[in-house]
Coordinates of all heavy atoms in Angstrom, one line a residue:
E1 N 0.8 -1.2 -0.1 CA 0.0 0.1 0.0 C 0.9 1.2 0.0 O 0.6 2.3 -0.8 CB -0.9 0.0 1.2 CG -2.0 -0.9 1.2 CD -3.2 -0.3 0.3 OE1 -3.4 0.7 0.1 OE2 -3.8 -1.2 -0.3
C2 N 1.8 1.3 0.8 CA 2.7 2.5 1.0 C 3.6 2.7 -0.2 O 3.5 3.8 -0.8 CB 3.6 2.4 2.3 SG 2.7 2.5 3.7
L3 N 3.9 1.7 -0.8 CA 4.8 1.8 -2.1 C 3.8 2.3 -3.2 O 4.3 3.1 -4.0 CB 5.5 0.6 -2.4 CG 6.7 0.1 -1.4 CD1 7.3 -1.2 -1.9 CD2 7.8 1.3 -1.6
A4 N 2.7 1.7 -3.3 CA 1.8 1.9 -4.5 C 1.4 3.4 -4.3 O 1.1 4.0 -5.3 CB 0.6 1.0 -4.4
N5 N 1.1 3.9 -3.1 CA 0.7 5.3 -2.9 C 1.6 6.2 -2.6 O 1.3 7.3 -2.1 CB -0.5 5.2 -1.7 CG -1.7 4.4 -2.4 OD1 -2.4 4.8 -3.3 ND2 -2.0 3.3 -1.8
R6 N 2.9 5.8 -2.7 CA 4.1 6.7 -2.4 C 4.0 7.5 -1.0 O 4.0 8.7 -1.0 CB 4.3 7.6 -3.5 CG 4.6 6.9 -4.8 CD 4.9 7.8 -6.0 NE 5.3 7.1 -7.2 CZ 6.3 7.4 -7.9 NH1 6.9 8.5 -7.8 NH2 6.5 6.7 -8.9
R7 N 3.7 6.7 0.0 CA 3.6 7.2 1.4 C 4.9 6.6 2.2 O 5.1 5.4 2.1 CB 2.3 6.7 2.0 CG 1.1 7.3 1.3 CD 0.9 8.8 1.5 NE -0.1 9.4 0.9 CZ -0.1 10.0 -0.3 NH1 1.0 10.3 -0.9 NH2 -1.2 10.5 -0.9
K8 N 5.3 7.4 3.0 CA 6.4 7.0 3.9 C 5.9 6.2 4.9 O 4.8 6.2 5.4 CB 7.0 8.2 4.6 CG 7.6 9.2 3.5 CD 8.3 10.4 4.2 CE 8.9 11.3 3.2 NZ 9.3 12.6 3.7
L9 N 6.7 5.2 5.3 CA 6.2 4.2 6.3 C 7.1 4.1 7.5 O 8.4 3.9 7.4 CB 6.2 2.8 5.7 CG 5.9 1.5 6.6 CD1 4.4 1.7 7.1 CD2 6.1 0.3 6.0
L10 N 6.5 4.3 8.8 CA 7.2 4.1 10.0 C 6.7 2.7 10.5 O 5.7 2.4 10.7 CB 6.9 5.1 11.0 CG 7.7 5.2 12.3 CD1 9.2 5.3 12.1 CD2 7.1 6.3 13.2
Y11 N 7.9 1.8 10.7 CA 7.5 0.4 11.0 C 8.2 -0.1 12.3 O 9.3 0.5 12.7 CB 7.6 -0.6 9.9 CG 9.1 -0.6 9.3 CD1 10.0 -1.5 9.9 CD2 9.6 0.4 8.5 CE1 11.4 -1.6 9.5 CE2 11.0 0.2 8.0 CZ 11.7 -0.7 8.5 OH 13.1 -0.7 8.2
L12 N 7.7 -1.1 12.9 CA 8.4 -1.8 14.0 C 9.1 -3.0 13.5 O 8.6 -3.6 12.6 CB 7.4 -2.2 15.1 CG 6.5 -1.2 15.7 CD1 5.6 -1.7 16.6 CD2 7.4 -0.1 16.3
P13 N 10.3 -3.4 14.1 CA 11.0 -4.6 13.7 C 10.0 -5.8 14.0 O 9.3 -5.8 15.2 CB 12.2 -4.6 14.6 CG 11.9 -3.6 15.7 CD 10.9 -2.8 15.3
R14 N 10.0 -6.8 13.3 CA 9.1 -8.0 13.6 C 10.0 -9.3 13.2 O 9.9 -9.8 12.2 CB 7.9 -8.0 12.8 CG 6.9 -6.8 12.8 CD 6.2 -6.8 14.3 NE 5.3 -8.1 14.5 CZ 4.1 -8.1 14.3 NH1 3.5 -7.1 14.0 NH2 3.5 -9.2 14.6
E15 N 10.7 -9.6 14.1 CA 11.6 -10.8 14.1 C 10.9 -12.1 13.9 O 11.4 -13.0 13.3 CB 12.6 -10.9 15.3 CG 13.6 -9.8 15.2 CD 13.2 -8.5 15.9 OE1 12.1 -8.6 16.6 OE2 13.8 -7.6 15.8
D16 N 9.5 -12.1 14.3 CA 8.7 -13.3 14.3 C 8.0 -13.4 13.0 O 7.4 -14.5 12.8 CB 7.7 -13.3 15.4 CG 7.0 -12.1 15.5 OD1 7.4 -10.9 15.0 OD2 5.8 -12.1 16.1
F17 N 8.2 -12.5 12.1 CA 7.5 -12.6 10.8 C 8.6 -13.0 9.7 O 9.6 -12.2 9.5 CB 6.9 -11.4 10.3 CG 5.6 -11.0 11.0 CD1 5.1 -11.6 12.1 CD2 4.8 -10.1 10.4 CE1 3.9 -11.5 12.6 CE2 3.7 -9.7 11.1 CZ 3.1 -10.5 12.1
T18 N 8.5 -14.1 9.1 CA 9.5 -14.5 8.0 C 9.5 -13.5 6.9 O 10.5 -13.6 6.2 CB 9.3 -16.1 7.6 OG1 7.9 -16.1 7.0 CG2 9.5 -16.9 8.7
E19 N 8.4 -12.9 6.6 CA 8.4 -11.9 5.5 C 9.2 -10.6 5.8 O 9.4 -9.8 4.8 CB 7.0 -11.4 5.1 CG 6.0 -12.7 5.0 CD 5.3 -13.2 6.2 OE1 5.8 -12.8 7.3 OE2 4.2 -13.8 6.0
T20 N 9.6 -10.2 7.1 CA 10.1 -9.1 7.4 C 11.3 -8.7 6.6 O 11.4 -7.6 6.1 CB 10.3 -8.9 8.9 OG1 9.0 -9.1 9.5 CG2 11.0 -7.8 9.3
P21 N 12.3 -9.5 6.5 CA 13.6 -9.1 5.7 C 13.2 -8.7 4.2 O 13.8 -7.7 3.8 CB 14.4 -10.3 5.7 CG 14.1 -11.2 7.0 CD 12.5 -10.8 7.1
V22 N 12.3 -9.4 3.6 CA 11.9 -9.1 2.2 C 11.2 -7.7 2.2 O 11.4 -6.9 1.3 CB 11.2 -10.2 1.6 CG1 10.6 -9.9 0.3 CG2 11.9 -11.5 1.6
L23 N 10.3 -7.7 3.1 CA 9.5 -6.4 3.1 C 10.4 -5.1 3.4 O 10.3 -4.1 2.8 CB 8.4 -6.5 4.1 CG 7.4 -7.5 3.8 CD1 6.4 -7.6 5.0 CD2 6.5 -7.0 2.6
V24 N 11.2 -5.2 4.3 CA 12.1 -4.2 4.8 C 13.1 -3.8 3.6 O 13.4 -2.6 3.2 CB 13.0 -4.4 6.0 CG1 14.0 -3.4 6.4 CG2 12.0 -4.5 7.2
E25 N 13.6 -4.8 3.0 CA 14.6 -4.7 1.8 C 13.9 -4.0 0.6 O 14.4 -3.0 0.1 CB 15.3 -6.0 1.3 CG 16.3 -5.8 0.4 CD 15.8 -5.7 -1.0 OE1 14.8 -6.2 -1.4 OE2 16.4 -5.0 -1.8
G26 N 12.7 -4.3 0.4 CA 11.8 -3.8 -0.6 C 11.6 -2.4 -0.4 O 11.5 -1.5 -1.2
L27 N 11.2 -2.1 0.9 CA 11.0 -0.6 1.2 C 12.2 0.2 1.1 O 12.1 1.4 0.6 CB 10.4 -0.6 2.7 CG 10.1 0.8 3.1 CD1 9.0 1.5 2.4 CD2 9.6 0.8 4.6
K28 N 13.3 -0.3 1.5 CA 14.6 0.5 1.3 C 15.0 0.7 -0.1 O 15.5 1.7 -0.4 CB 15.7 -0.3 2.1 CG 15.6 -0.2 3.6 CD 16.8 -0.9 4.3 CE 16.6 -0.8 5.7 NZ 17.7 -1.7 6.4
R29 N 14.7 -0.4 -1.0 CA 15.1 -0.2 -2.3 C 14.1 0.6 -3.2 O 14.5 1.2 -4.1 CB 15.1 -1.7 -2.8 CG 15.8 -1.8 -4.3 CD 16.1 -3.3 -4.7 NE 15.0 -4.2 -4.3 CZ 14.0 -4.5 -5.0 NH1 13.8 -3.9 -6.2 NH2 13.1 -5.4 -4.5
L30 N 12.8 0.5 -2.8 CA 11.8 1.2 -3.7 C 11.1 2.4 -3.0 O 10.4 3.1 -3.8 CB 10.7 0.1 -3.9 CG 11.2 -1.3 -4.7 CD1 10.1 -2.3 -4.7 CD2 11.7 -0.9 -6.0
G31 N 11.3 2.7 -1.8 CA 10.5 3.8 -1.2 C 11.2 4.4 -0.1 O 12.5 4.4 -0.1
T32 N 10.5 5.0 0.8 CA 10.9 5.7 1.9 C 10.3 5.2 3.2 O 9.1 5.2 3.3 CB 10.7 7.3 1.7 OG1 11.3 7.6 0.5 CG2 11.3 8.0 2.9
G33 N 11.2 4.7 4.2 CA 10.6 4.2 5.4 C 11.7 4.3 6.5 O 12.8 4.5 6.2
A34 N 11.3 4.0 7.7 CA 12.2 4.0 8.8 C 11.6 3.1 9.9 O 10.4 3.0 10.1 CB 12.4 5.4 9.4
M35 N 12.5 2.5 10.6 CA 12.1 1.5 11.7 C 12.2 2.3 13.0 O 13.1 3.1 13.3 CB 13.2 0.4 11.7 CG 12.7 -0.7 12.7 SD 13.8 -1.6 13.8 CE 15.1 -0.3 14.0
M36 N 11.2 2.1 13.8 CA 11.1 2.6 15.1 C 11.3 1.4 16.1 O 10.6 0.3 15.9 CB 9.7 3.2 15.4 CG 9.6 3.8 16.8 SD 7.9 4.3 17.5 CE 7.0 4.6 16.1
P37 N 12.2 1.5 17.1 CA 12.4 0.5 18.0 C 11.2 0.2 18.8 O 10.4 1.1 19.1 CB 13.7 1.0 18.9 CG 14.3 2.0 18.0 CD 13.2 2.7 17.2
R38 N 11.0 -1.0 19.1 CA 9.8 -1.5 19.8 C 9.7 -0.9 21.2 O 8.7 -0.3 21.6 CB 9.8 -3.0 20.0 CG 9.7 -3.7 18.7 CD 9.7 -5.3 18.7 NE 8.5 -5.7 19.3 CZ 7.3 -5.9 18.7 NH1 7.2 -5.6 17.5 NH2 6.3 -6.3 19.3
E39 N 10.9 -0.6 21.9 CA 10.9 0.0 23.1 C 10.4 1.4 23.0 O 9.6 1.9 23.9 CB 12.3 0.1 23.7 CG 13.0 -1.3 23.8 CD 13.5 -1.8 22.5 OE1 13.9 -1.1 21.5 OE2 13.6 -3.1 22.4
D40 N 10.7 2.2 21.9 CA 10.2 3.5 21.8 C 8.7 3.6 21.5 O 8.0 4.4 22.0 CB 11.0 4.3 20.7 CG 12.4 4.6 21.1 OD1 12.8 4.5 22.3 OD2 13.1 5.2 20.2
F41 N 8.3 2.6 20.7 CA 6.8 2.5 20.4 C 6.1 2.3 21.7 O 5.0 3.0 21.8 CB 6.6 1.2 19.4 CG 5.1 1.0 19.1 CD1 4.5 1.8 18.2 CD2 4.4 0.1 19.7 CE1 3.2 1.6 17.9 CE2 3.1 -0.3 19.5 CZ 2.5 0.6 18.6
F42 N 6.4 1.3 22.4 CA 5.6 1.0 23.6 C 5.8 2.0 24.8 O 4.8 2.2 25.6 CB 6.0 -0.4 24.2 CG 5.4 -1.6 23.3 CD1 6.4 -2.3 22.6 CD2 4.0 -1.8 23.2 CE1 5.8 -3.3 21.6 CE2 3.6 -2.7 22.2 CZ 4.6 -3.6 21.5
A43 N 6.8 2.8 24.8 CA 7.0 3.8 25.7 C 6.4 5.2 25.2 O 6.3 6.1 25.9 CB 8.5 4.1 25.9
G44 N 5.8 5.1 24.0 CA 5.1 6.4 23.5 C 6.1 7.4 23.0 O 5.7 8.5 22.8
R45 N 7.3 7.0 22.7 CA 8.3 8.0 22.1 C 8.3 7.9 20.6 O 9.2 7.4 20.0 CB 9.8 7.6 22.7 CG 9.9 7.8 24.2 CD 11.2 7.6 24.7 NE 11.8 6.2 24.5 CZ 11.8 5.3 25.4 NH1 11.3 5.5 26.5 NH2 12.2 4.0 25.1
W46 N 7.3 8.4 20.1 CA 7.0 8.4 18.5 C 7.4 9.7 17.9 O 7.9 9.6 16.8 CB 5.5 8.2 18.3 CG 4.9 6.9 18.7 CD1 5.4 6.2 19.8 CD2 3.8 6.2 18.2 NE1 4.5 5.1 19.9 CE2 3.5 5.1 18.9 CE3 3.0 6.6 17.0 CZ2 2.4 4.4 18.5 CZ3 2.0 5.7 16.7 CH2 1.7 4.6 17.5
R47 N 7.4 10.8 18.5 CA 7.6 12.1 17.9 C 8.8 12.2 17.1 O 8.9 12.6 16.1 CB 7.4 13.2 19.0 CG 7.7 14.6 18.3 CD 7.6 15.8 19.2 NE 6.2 15.7 19.9 CZ 5.3 16.5 19.5 NH1 5.6 17.3 18.4 NH2 4.2 16.6 20.2
R48 N 10.0 11.8 17.7 CA 11.2 12.0 17.0 C 11.2 11.2 15.8 O 11.7 11.6 14.7 CB 12.3 11.7 17.9 CG 13.8 11.8 17.2 CD 15.0 11.5 18.2 NE 14.8 10.3 18.8 CZ 15.2 9.0 18.5 NH1 15.8 8.9 17.3 NH2 15.1 8.0 19.1
H49 N 10.7 9.9 15.8 CA 10.7 9.0 14.7 C 9.9 9.6 13.6 O 10.3 9.5 12.4 CB 10.3 7.6 15.2 CG 11.2 7.1 16.2 ND1 12.4 6.6 15.8 CD2 11.1 6.9 17.4 CE1 13.0 6.2 17.0 NE2 12.2 6.2 17.9
L50 N 8.6 10.1 13.9 CA 7.8 10.6 13.0 C 8.3 11.9 12.3 O 8.3 12.0 11.0 CB 6.4 10.8 13.6 CG 5.6 9.7 13.9 CD1 4.4 10.1 14.8 CD2 5.1 9.1 12.7
E51 N 8.9 12.8 13.1 CA 9.3 14.0 12.6 C 10.6 13.7 11.7 O 10.7 14.4 10.6 CB 9.8 15.0 13.7 CG 8.6 15.6 14.5 CD 9.0 16.4 15.7 OE1 10.2 16.3 16.2 OE2 8.2 17.1 16.2
D52 N 11.5 12.8 12.1 CA 12.7 12.4 11.1 C 12.2 11.9 9.8 O 12.7 12.1 8.8 CB 13.5 11.5 11.8 CG 14.3 12.1 13.1 OD1 14.3 13.3 13.2 OD2 14.9 11.3 13.8
L53 N 11.1 11.1 10.0 CA 10.6 10.4 8.7 C 10.0 11.4 7.8 O 10.2 11.4 6.6 CB 9.7 9.1 9.1 CG 9.0 8.6 7.9 CD1 10.0 7.8 7.0 CD2 8.0 7.6 8.3
L54 N 9.1 12.3 8.3 CA 8.4 13.3 7.6 C 9.4 14.2 7.0 O 9.2 14.8 5.9 CB 7.4 14.1 8.4 CG 6.3 13.0 8.9 CD1 5.3 13.8 9.8 CD2 5.4 12.5 7.6
A55 N 10.5 14.5 7.7 CA 11.6 15.4 7.1 C 12.4 14.7 6.1 O 13.0 15.5 5.4 CB 12.4 16.1 8.4
A56 N 12.5 13.6 6.0 CA 13.4 12.8 5.1 C 12.8 13.1 3.7 O 11.6 13.0 3.6 CB 13.5 11.3 5.4
P57 N 13.7 13.2 2.7 CA 13.1 13.3 1.3 C 12.6 11.9 0.9 O 13.2 10.9 1.1 CB 14.5 13.6 0.5 CG 15.7 13.2 1.4 CD 15.2 13.3 2.7
G58 N 11.5 12.1 0.3 CA 10.9 10.9 -0.3 C 11.5 10.5 -1.6 O 11.8 11.3 -2.4
R59 N 11.8 9.1 -1.6 CA 12.4 8.7 -2.9 C 11.5 7.5 -3.3 O 11.2 6.7 -2.4 CB 13.9 8.3 -2.8 CG 14.2 7.4 -1.8 CD 15.7 6.9 -1.9 NE 16.0 6.2 -0.9 CZ 15.5 5.0 -0.5 NH1 14.4 4.7 -1.0 NH2 15.9 4.3 0.6
W60 N 11.1 7.4 -4.5 CA 10.2 6.3 -4.9 C 10.6 5.8 -6.3 O 11.2 6.4 -7.1 CB 8.9 6.9 -5.1 CG 8.4 7.6 -3.8 CD1 8.5 9.0 -3.6 CD2 8.0 7.0 -2.6 NE1 8.0 9.3 -2.3 CE2 7.7 8.0 -1.8 CE3 7.9 5.6 -2.2 CZ2 7.3 7.9 -0.3 CZ3 7.4 5.4 -0.9 CH2 7.2 6.5 0.0
T61 N 10.5 4.5 -6.4 CA 10.7 3.8 -7.6 C 9.5 3.4 -8.3 O 8.5 2.9 -7.5 CB 11.6 2.5 -7.4 OG1 12.8 2.9 -6.8 CG2 11.9 1.7 -8.8
D62 N 9.2 3.7 -9.6 CA 7.9 3.1 -10.2 C 7.9 1.7 -10.1 O 8.7 0.9 -10.4 CB 7.9 3.6 -11.7 CG 7.7 5.2 -11.8 OD1 7.2 5.8 -10.8 OD2 8.3 5.7 -12.8
I63 N 6.7 1.2 -9.7 CA 6.4 -0.3 -9.6 C 5.1 -0.7 -10.3 O 4.3 0.3 -10.5 CB 6.4 -0.7 -8.1 CG1 5.4 0.0 -7.3 CG2 7.7 -0.6 -7.4 CD1 5.0 -0.5 -6.0
A64 N 5.1 -1.8 -10.8 CA 3.9 -2.2 -11.4 C 2.7 -2.4 -10.3 O 3.0 -2.9 -9.2 CB 4.1 -3.6 -12.1
L65 N 1.4 -2.0 -10.7 CA 0.4 -1.9 -9.8 C -0.7 -2.9 -10.3 O -1.8 -2.8 -10.1 CB -0.2 -0.5 -9.6 CG 1.0 0.5 -9.0 CD1 0.3 1.8 -8.9 CD2 1.4 0.0 -7.6
N66 N -0.3 -3.8 -11.3 CA -1.4 -4.6 -11.9 C -1.2 -6.1 -11.5 O -1.5 -7.0 -12.3 CB -1.2 -4.5 -13.4 CG 0.1 -5.1 -13.9 OD1 1.0 -5.1 -13.2 ND2 0.1 -5.4 -15.3
G67 N -0.7 -6.4 -10.4 CA -0.6 -7.7 -9.9 C -1.8 -8.6 -9.9 O -1.8 -9.7 -10.2
D68 N -3.0 -8.0 -9.8 CA -4.2 -8.6 -9.8 C -4.5 -9.2 -11.3 O -5.0 -10.3 -11.5 CB -5.4 -7.8 -9.4 CG -5.5 -6.4 -10.2 OD1 -4.4 -6.1 -10.6 OD2 -6.7 -5.9 -10.1
E69 N -4.2 -8.3 -12.2 CA -4.3 -8.7 -13.6 C -3.4 -9.8 -14.1 O -3.7 -10.8 -14.7 CB -4.1 -7.6 -14.5 CG -5.2 -6.4 -14.4 CD -4.8 -5.1 -15.2 OE1 -3.9 -5.3 -16.0 OE2 -5.4 -4.1 -14.8
V70 N -2.1 -9.8 -13.6 CA -1.1 -10.8 -13.9 C -1.6 -12.1 -13.3 O -1.5 -13.2 -14.0 CB 0.2 -10.4 -13.2 CG1 1.2 -11.5 -13.4 CG2 0.8 -9.1 -14.0
I71 N -2.0 -12.2 -12.0 CA -2.5 -13.4 -11.3 C -3.7 -13.9 -12.1 O -3.7 -15.2 -12.5 CB -2.9 -13.2 -9.9 CG1 -1.6 -12.8 -9.2 CG2 -3.5 -14.3 -9.3 CD1 -0.6 -13.8 -8.8
A72 N -4.7 -13.0 -12.5 CA -5.8 -13.6 -13.2 C -5.5 -14.2 -14.5 O -6.0 -15.2 -14.8 CB -6.8 -12.4 -13.4
R73 N -4.6 -13.6 -15.3 CA -4.2 -14.2 -16.6 C -3.5 -15.4 -16.3 O -3.7 -16.4 -17.2 CB -3.2 -13.3 -17.3 CG -3.9 -12.1 -18.1 CD -2.9 -11.3 -19.1 NE -1.8 -10.8 -18.4 CZ -1.8 -9.4 -17.9 NH1 -2.9 -8.7 -18.1 NH2 -0.7 -9.0 -17.4
R74 N -2.6 -15.6 -15.3 CA -2.0 -16.9 -15.0 C -3.0 -17.9 -14.6 O -2.9 -19.2 -15.1 CB -1.0 -16.8 -14.0 CG 0.1 -16.1 -14.5 CD 1.3 -16.0 -13.5 NE 2.4 -15.2 -14.0 CZ 3.5 -14.8 -13.4 NH1 3.6 -15.3 -12.1 NH2 4.4 -14.2 -13.9
L75 N -4.0 -17.5 -14.0 CA -5.0 -18.5 -13.5 C -5.9 -19.0 -14.6 O -6.2 -20.1 -14.9 CB -5.9 -18.0 -12.4 CG -5.3 -17.9 -11.0 CD1 -6.2 -17.1 -10.1 CD2 -5.0 -19.2 -10.5
L76 N -6.2 -18.0 -15.5 CA -7.0 -18.4 -16.7 C -6.3 -19.2 -17.7 O -6.8 -20.0 -18.4 CB -7.6 -17.1 -17.3 CG -8.5 -16.4 -16.5 CD1 -8.9 -15.0 -17.3 CD2 -9.9 -17.1 -16.5
A77 N -5.0 -19.0 -17.8 CA -4.0 -19.8 -18.7 C -3.9 -21.2 -18.2 O -3.4 -22.1 -19.1 CB -2.8 -19.1 -18.9
S78 N -4.0 -21.5 -17.1 CA -3.7 -22.9 -16.4 C -4.9 -23.8 -16.6 O -6.0 -23.4 -16.9 CB -3.3 -22.8 -15.0 OG -4.2 -22.2 -14.2

């Protein structure tokens, strides 16, 4: 969603999600985001992270947004 809509993303580390390394790498390569330590999140220390992210220049890579069409064509072809 954030990449498709060119929105910056503030995220928490999620070591328990196997998808996390791929998602974080994709965000770094294709968009703009920053990680907030879990300790800061749960302690309510969001301001600095939000301000830093909002002040960071946005950089975006054009990505295909037609995944639904690609999947539908593959399903119909099988």
Side-chain angles (χ1 to χ4, degrees):
E1 285 285 326
C2 290
L3 291 175
N5 292 294
R6 296 181 178 221
R7 297 292 180 252
K8 297 174 183 180
L9 176 67
L10 184 62
Y11 61 92
L12 301 179
R14 299 291 303 258
E15 291 82 17
D16 54 333
F17 282 13
T18 56
E19 305 91 342
T20 296
V22 174
L23 293 171
V24 170
E25 188 278 326
L27 180 60
K28 288 179 180 177
R29 188 169 44 86
L30 301 171
T32 303
M35 190 219 29
M36 178 187 344
R38 296 177 73 76
E39 300 80 28
D40 287 355
F41 175 81
F42 289 112
R45 295 186 297 262
W46 296 29
R47 180 180 296 268
R48 177 177 52 89
H49 300 288
L50 287 168
E51 288 175 347
D52 289 349
L53 179 61
L54 293 173
R59 60 173 173 51
W60 307 102
T61 300
D62 290 331
I63 58 173
L65 301 176
N66 66 335
D68 56 341
E69 296 171 17
V70 171
I71 298 286
R73 278 196 297 271
R74 288 184 183 176
L75 288 172
L76 291 171
S78 61

